[in-house]
Amino acid sequence: MTETLIAVIGGSGIYEIDGLEGAAWTTVETPWGTPSDQILTGRLEGVKMAFLPRHGRGHVHAPSDVPYRANIDALKRLGATDVISVSACGSFREHMAPGDFVIVDQFIDRTFARAKSFFSSGCVAHVALAHPTCPRLSDAVEAAAGAAGINTHRGGTYLAMEGPQFSTLAESKMYREHWGADVIGMTNMPEAKLAREAELCYASVAMVTDYDSWHPDHGEVDVTAVIATLKGNSEKGRALIKGLPARLGAERAPCPHGCDRALEYAIMTAPEKRDPALLAKLDAVAGRVL
Ligand SMILES: CSC[C@H]1O[C@H](OP(=O)(O)O)[C@H](O)[C@@H]1O
Ligand SMILES: Nc1ncnc2[nH]cnc12
């Protein structure tokens, strides 16, 4: 058994969480640079927790510039076992309405201006990503959301766009009608890929703030409307987070879906050909197998 540490990455409009016992903002440096902000650590019902605001307090990092690798490395370095991403998103489905939460289970990665892997020449690795989120962690999130009375949809495909501009009408219709995406945002990729490489269980809660631009009865998306909906949702998000420790417990068995062993057979580069400088940077992420 391993001690559980539940890490929450808060998205737009969520820059801190309350109620942690022994709460302290902690500075964590990583070989991949400085994370988005300090990390709030503490305990909820005796279970270790960490909270990282993805855009930093005061929303200083644009989606393309979020230090995704530093964030995931820092959480791993702190001992995180589980990462719950909380994000704002637009909806492509009438029944996924503003105010609803979608527990995402698939992604389409349309981002192109971000570093997407901890691995590269000198230590090449290919992890499986067919199922990019952890069903066990998503079960806990679904149960906590249900207990908090949140209108929740289990499963959905999140299209990650580069941004920072919102989509054109043609893009919005293409993603919805031809690509089968359910929601859209700018941050869950490469975050989910990096969490898998770091052998962390990852679940994503996308809070619907708007209908993007496809819906004939709704105007095009703008940030004021997004923030207004998010403010209404923040209580619900907090209630969901408070329900997680009881459902995940202070100790965890190995992940039945193998998230915590994702690197077991992933590294291709022969031991004698590996780059020592890159291996040093991979100490937290891949130390278990190196
Ligand atoms: C404020 S609207 C656009 C912005 O909000 C979302 O951020 P996050 O995923 O961190 O909640 C979206 O991805 C964009 O970055
Ligand atoms: N419509 C939208 N597109 C991209 N990111 C979003 N975040 C919130 N709403 C969004």
Side-chain angles (χ1 to χ4, degrees):
M1 299 286 273
T2 310
E3 187 172 16
T4 305
L5 193 163
I6 306 171
V8 177
I9 301 181
S12 294
I14 306 174
Y15 307 105
E16 57 187 315
I17 55 170
D18 53 14
L20 292 192
E21 303 138 28
W25 286 96
T26 311
T27 302
V28 184
E29 284 302 331
T30 87
W32 311 94
T34 305
S36 295
D37 202 334
Q38 291 180 298
I39 299 176
L40 184 64
T41 57
R43 286 182 188 262
L44 259 187
E45 296 171 15
V47 179
K48 278 182 166 179
M49 302 284 298
F51 172 82
L52 173 60
R54 179 184 287 122
H55 300 277
R57 283 167 286 180
H59 206 106
V60 292
H61 302 289
S64 303
D65 301 329
V66 167
Y68 295 99
R69 290 190 298 189
N71 288 353
I72 294 295
D73 179 292
L75 295 175
K76 180 84 183 180
R77 212 165 273 283
L78 277 179
T81 49
D82 300 87
V83 175
I84 292 120
S85 154
V86 183
S87 331
C89 71
S91 168
F92 294 131
R93 304 288 159 219
E94 186 85 51
H95 69 284
M96 294 177 173
D100 291 2
F101 286 22
V102 181
I103 302 171
V104 165
D105 63 353
Q106 281 296 331
F107 299 98
I108 298 171
D109 187 1
R110 282 259 300 166
T111 65
F112 51 82
R114 308 165 185 199
K116 296 198 185 193
S117 179
F118 290 108
F119 297 92
S120 59
S121 305
C123 189
V124 178
H126 305 280
V127 294
L129 206 68
H131 304 288
T133 62
C134 176
R136 176 173 70 174
L137 186 55
S138 299
D139 285 346
V141 170
E142 183 180 21
I150 300 166
N151 200 23
T152 308
H153 306 270
R154 177 70 187 260
T157 298
Y158 174 114
L159 187 133
M161 60 178 292
E162 187 61 51
Q165 303 86 354
F166 292 115
S167 306
T168 65
L169 179 57
E171 288 166 336
S172 193
K173 285 180 161 175
M174 179 179 75
Y175 300 149
R176 168 186 145 74
E177 291 167 22
H178 301 293
W179 288 22
D182 299 302
V183 296
I184 182 165
M186 304 178 191
T187 61
N188 277 202
M189 283 290 173
E191 195 174 86
K193 289 177 172 169
L194 295 167
R196 176 58 53 82
E197 286 188 343
E199 300 192 318
L200 293 165
C201 294
Y202 183 85
S204 169
V205 186
M207 308 192 305
V208 178
T209 53
D210 55 85
Y211 279 114
D212 204 44
S213 51
W214 65 273
H215 200 301
D217 303 334
H218 292 267
E220 57 185 304
V221 51
D222 69 71
V223 161
T224 318
V226 168
I227 297 302
T229 311
L230 272 182
K231 284 206 170 116
N233 278 347
S234 60
E235 261 328 297
K236 292 194 233 172
R238 261 193 280 276
L240 188 160
I241 291 164
K242 285 192 175 144
L244 291 172
R247 285 170 179 86
L248 289 168
E251 298 257 294
R252 78 202 291 281
C255 175
H257 308 284
C259 303
D260 51 6
R261 301 178 299 284
L263 289 174
E264 200 73 42
Y265 306 107
I267 298 180
M268 298 284 296
T269 309
E272 69 279 9
K273 299 278 184 179
R274 294 178 189 168
D275 170 10
L278 179 53
L279 295 188
K281 289 175 79 173
L282 289 166
D283 65 333
V285 161
R288 191 186 73 79
V289 290
L290 288 177

